[in-house]
Amino acid sequence: MSESFDFDIIVAGAGVGGISAALAAARLQMKVLLLEQAGEVGGTGVFSSVSLICTFRDSQGRPITSGIHRELFPAAYTHYNEKLVPTYDEQELKAAYERLLASEPTLTLWTNCQVTQADRQDGRIVRLHIEGSRTAAVTAKVYLDATADGNLSALAGMEYQLGREGDGKLQSATATFKVSGIDCSLLKEPDIRQWQAIHSLRKELLPYYLDMKAAGRTGNPRQSITCFPYPDGKALLFNSTSVLDVDPTRPETVARGKEEGIRQAQELFETIRQHPAFHHAKLDYIAPKLGIREGRRIVGEYVLTAEDCLQSRRFDDMVAACAYALDIHSPDGGATRLESIPEPGYYHIPYRSLIPKGCANLLLSSRCISGTHEAHSSYRIMASVSAIGEAAGTAAALCVFQGLEDVREVNPAHIRFILQLRGQFIEGEVERTPMPASAAWAAEMKES
Ligand SMILES: Cc1cc2nc3c(=O)[nH]c(=O)nc-3n(C[C@H](O)[C@H](O)[C@H](O)COP(=O)(O)OP(=O)(O)OC[C@H]3O[C@@H](n4cnc5c(N)ncnc54)[C@H](O)[C@@H]3O)c2cc1C
């Protein structure tokens, strides 16, 4: 029999966006339920092993993302040095997620729970149905879609776009893999924690890879080798395979893509072992989840475009910022398109891009926010998704404790006020608003 539970806020998906949102809302005394279909929290940043902390700094080196992202990756702030490759260990990140989530008394986490149905009435979500370790109906005042692929929004009937404008093709997917046991003393530049050494290493490995391609021993369309060091400088994460035509809304393409990704990872590992520094190297693991870069983009009150990114646009309803380049891993297998954000090196993400059209109590809290295929290739990185999640969780909490009927009524200047108090980077006007000191206080505020 299906049980029923009621919360203030429900977040679907426990990747970096969902976790940041759940923490932000729980820190405002909200009763939060975080749902994750997998057995453990972490999402892509843990189970697809992405390793690099992509840039969150403007052209002057100033952080334009901080807040919860800083709690997750403290060394990237405290030990910043532009000569070093900023990376993280996925097991440490998972431990940080678990520690932060466990420290919030008003936050409930259910893993192995998939949202399978969203009931909608009069332009609002009224109930979610979950299956897995529990079969239940759950209700809340505000719902957050942190599923990366917009699964909750799609279940609720929201309009969405998928893939490249014109032909709907998606960015390529990647099976990353970890290699240890490297004899760095045999490399031209042995300290692989440095950018210069990593660029040099990629060049050293390239001829082996090109020979393999020329001999037809791989189906990997990628033209170069990409790898990053683990923080201790003793292992490497290869982000260097490329699988085309993987669409997360079609499970059969994901299953086929995973097989192809594993095949390419094994082929590449065998090839790099020909380099003397890798003769005794070990393939520690291939990431358990195929890395999928792109899924549904939910159509919201504002659609963020490539022009907005490339003109470093400012918005009055700014709630997050992004400094990362447009980075499109070609859907056709060609070269990656990389285009930097011009001076001052970042753009604003407006609150309206977090609000799906046609629903009063749903917010987007992961890479599925409203934007084009090109813009998505930039803000999909973990720093921006964490900032998006933190803003969405804060907005949802404001909606609840101010007793608002529609997430559109939340004042972005109030969101920024709270984000600023919490140490997040913000720009634009802030307007002070009382914050709940306890769950009971929040309920009182709503009634008065
Ligand atoms: C190969 C690859 C390399 C990358 N490299 C980098 C990099 O170097 N640096 C960087 O910053 N970014 C990188 N990225 C991008 C970045 O990792 C992701 O875009 C980001 O982590 C997405 O976070 P998210 O919270 O939106 O989604 P996810 O982390 O994917 O989390 C979504 C969660 O929702 C859950 N879920 C889905 N549907 C449901 C449902 N119905 N019910 C319950 N739960 C559900 C999923 O199981 C998942 O745990 C890379 C991405 C890929 C694929």
Side-chain angles (χ1 to χ4, degrees):
M1 210 184 77
S2 176
E3 296 176 277
S4 300
F5 299 89
D6 185 48
F7 293 85
D8 292 321
I9 292 164
I10 295 177
V11 183
V16 69
I19 291 171
S20 300
L23 289 173
R27 288 170 181 184
L28 287 164
Q29 311 296 332
M30 296 296 109
K31 205 176 144 203
V32 178
L33 174 63
L34 175 60
L35 293 168
E36 170 54 50
Q37 67 184 6
E40 292 172 286
V41 300
T44 301
V46 171
F47 295 103
S48 304
S49 301
V50 308
S51 159
L52 182 69
I53 302 169
C54 286
T55 190
F56 54 89
R57 294 174 183 277
D58 69 7
S59 333
Q60 302 300 315
R62 180 180 64 137
I64 55 88
T65 298
S66 185
I68 291 170
H69 184 258
R70 186 181 179 121
E71 294 177 62
L72 299 173
F73 303 100
Y77 293 80
T78 53
H79 291 68
Y80 174 60
N81 177 338
E82 59 189 354
K83 294 214 161 96
L84 297 175
V85 190
T87 56
Y88 68 94
D89 180 296
E90 55 280 336
Q91 291 313 318
E92 281 174 21
L93 175 62
K94 182 158 155 288
Y97 284 150
E98 288 167 347
R99 179 173 41 78
L100 291 171
L101 291 171
S103 67
E104 292 306 330
T106 63
L107 196 159
T108 303
L109 167 67
W110 288 350
T111 52
N112 282 315
C113 279
Q114 184 182 25
V115 179
T116 53
Q117 190 182 321
D119 296 341
R120 224 175 103 201
Q121 220 176 312
D122 302 327
R124 307 180 71 79
I125 295 179
V126 289
R127 185 180 311 102
L128 301 184
H129 297 268
I130 55 172
E131 283 174 23
S133 59
R134 288 168 191 263
T135 302
V138 285
T139 53
K141 294 171 190 76
V142 180
Y143 299 82
L144 300 186
D145 186 344
T147 62
D149 297 324
N151 296 334
L152 168 55
S153 304
L155 288 170
M158 300 294 114
E159 187 189 342
Y160 64 84
Q161 292 173 330
L162 194 62
R164 185 164 65 181
E165 285 77 15
D167 63 9
K169 283 193 152 209
L170 295 134
Q171 286 200 59
S172 62
T174 292
T176 57
F177 58 96
K178 181 177 181 182
V179 174
S180 64
I182 308 148
D183 186 348
C184 292
S185 67
L186 297 175
L187 296 173
K188 283 187 187 140
E189 305 220 20
D191 185 359
I192 57 170
R193 293 170 312 146
Q194 302 199 21
W195 275 116
Q196 195 176 310
I198 277 294
H199 291 312
S200 158
L201 164 63
R202 291 175 186 176
K203 274 193 205 143
E204 283 191 60
L205 293 178
L206 188 60
Y208 299 96
Y209 176 57
L210 293 180
D211 280 355
M212 171 172 76
K213 273 176 83 76
R217 283 186 281 112
T218 183
N220 186 347
R222 223 142 151 171
Q223 293 164 356
S224 56
I225 289 205
T226 305
C227 57
F228 302 103
Y230 272 82
D232 64 4
K234 292 189 176 144
L236 287 163
L237 192 276
F238 282 80
N239 174 344
S240 215
T241 63
S242 175
V243 186
L244 306 182
D245 300 321
V246 174
D247 173 352
T249 68
R250 289 166 51 222
E252 71 283 4
T253 67
V254 178
R256 178 199 51 78
K258 184 161 184 189
E259 277 174 29
E260 172 61 16
I262 291 172
R263 194 165 32 247
Q264 288 183 15
Q266 286 166 340
E267 290 161 355
L268 183 55
F269 176 66
E270 285 312 318
T271 291
I272 59 175
R273 285 186 76 194
Q274 294 170 46
H275 185 294
F278 289 81
H279 280 346
H280 303 291
K282 197 166 128 250
L283 178 56
D284 276 351
Y285 65 73
I286 300 174
K289 198 168 165 241
L290 179 69
I292 297 179
R293 294 188 169 81
E294 191 177 0
R296 294 185 193 88
R297 306 183 316 273
I298 308 305
V299 178
E301 295 294 341
Y302 183 81
V303 182
L304 203 65
T305 65
E307 291 68 43
D308 294 330
C309 308
L310 295 174
Q311 290 170 11
S312 314
R313 271 286 299 273
R314 300 292 182 263
F315 292 97
D316 288 344
D317 62 338
M318 171 277 182
V319 289
C322 177
Y324 189 59
L326 259 60
D327 176 10
I328 306 179
H329 290 246
S330 172
D332 308 309
T336 297
R337 175 179 155 202
L338 208 57
E339 242 176 293
S340 302
I341 309 301
E343 287 286 335
Y346 66 99
Y347 59 90
H348 285 172
I349 296 174
Y351 180 48
R352 285 164 297 154
S353 290
L354 278 53
I355 307 176
K357 275 195 169 160
C359 190
N361 63 345
L362 175 62
L363 282 169
L364 307 170
S365 172
S366 59
R367 62 163 159 77
C368 64
I369 67 164
S370 177
T372 62
H373 165 76
E374 291 171 309
H376 170 280
S377 76
S378 163
Y379 59 67
R380 69 190 170 89
I381 61 149
M382 293 179 73
S384 316
V385 174
S386 174
I388 287 167
E390 191 172 347
T394 303
L398 275 160
C399 189
V400 173
F401 73 75
Q402 293 183 341
L404 306 174
E405 285 300 310
D406 193 315
V407 289
R408 284 159 192 75
E409 294 167 25
V410 179
N411 181 349
H414 285 166
I415 304 173
R416 289 194 293 261
F417 170 72
I418 294 175
L419 291 175
Q420 177 181 265
L421 291 185
R422 295 284 154 91
Q424 182 56 286
F425 171 85
I426 57 110
E427 282 180 331
E429 277 175 37
V430 294
E431 192 176 312
R432 196 183 175 91
T433 181
M435 287 158 69
S438 68
W441 191 90
E444 230 174 77
M445 274 288 293
K446 197 192 154 195
E447 275 159 26
S448 62

